[in-house]
């Protein structure tokens, strides 16, 4: 299980990837399950909002690298598995 700060940081990274990386979107099932199991809602946490701002700047600085790294870390379809958590899936 991810610690609170890890989940908030990774969530922010995945959400930024979903916003900026055209072929990816959030894996809503994973987010919902984690929130249900822990009671942690990223959108209500100030740390999450500051991470979002920081990561948006990072993505804007080098979008190609950001999207590649996000795919490695969070893409559900990676074999054998994503490096961190299955937070991203393909857009339909």
């Amino acid at each position: 299980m991810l610690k609170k700060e890890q989940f908030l940081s990774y969530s922010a990274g995945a959400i930024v990837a979903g916003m900026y990386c055209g072929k990816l979107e959030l894996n809503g099932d994973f987010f919902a399950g984690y929130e249900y199991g822990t009671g942690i809602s990223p959108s209500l946490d100030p740390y999450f909002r500051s991470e979002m701002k920081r990561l948006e700047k990072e993505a804007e600085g080098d979008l190609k690298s950001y999207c590649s790294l996000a795919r490695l870390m969070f893409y559900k379809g990676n074999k054998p598995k994503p490096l961190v958590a299955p937070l991203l899936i393909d857009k339909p």
Side-chain angles (χ1 to χ4, degrees):
M1 176 173 272
L2 299 173
K3 295 179 185 174
K4 178 181 177 180
E5 290 79 20
Q6 289 175 313
F7 178 66
L8 293 172
S9 180
Y10 297 157
S11 295
I15 289 170
V16 169
M19 291 169 34
Y20 288 91
C21 306
K23 296 180 180 181
L24 299 172
E25 70 179 14
L26 297 178
N27 179 358
D29 292 339
F30 186 88
F31 277 93
Y34 193 90
E35 288 182 37
Y36 178 78
T38 64
I40 298 170
S41 180
S43 61
L44 301 176
D45 194 288
Y47 176 75
F48 170 79
R49 289 190 292 274
S50 67
E51 274 294 284
M52 280 281 299
K53 288 179 187 175
R54 182 183 73 77
L55 292 169
E56 280 187 270
K57 288 179 185 174
E58 187 177 312
E60 291 168 352
D62 186 356
L63 187 58
K64 185 176 179 179
S65 293
Y66 186 87
C67 291
S68 294
L69 182 59
R71 184 173 278 280
L72 285 172
M73 293 178 62
F74 305 125
Y75 180 61
K76 183 178 179 179
N78 287 350
K79 302 291 182 212
K81 62 182 181 176
L83 294 177
V84 177
L87 299 173
L88 295 170
I89 56 175
D90 289 320
K91 282 187 178 176

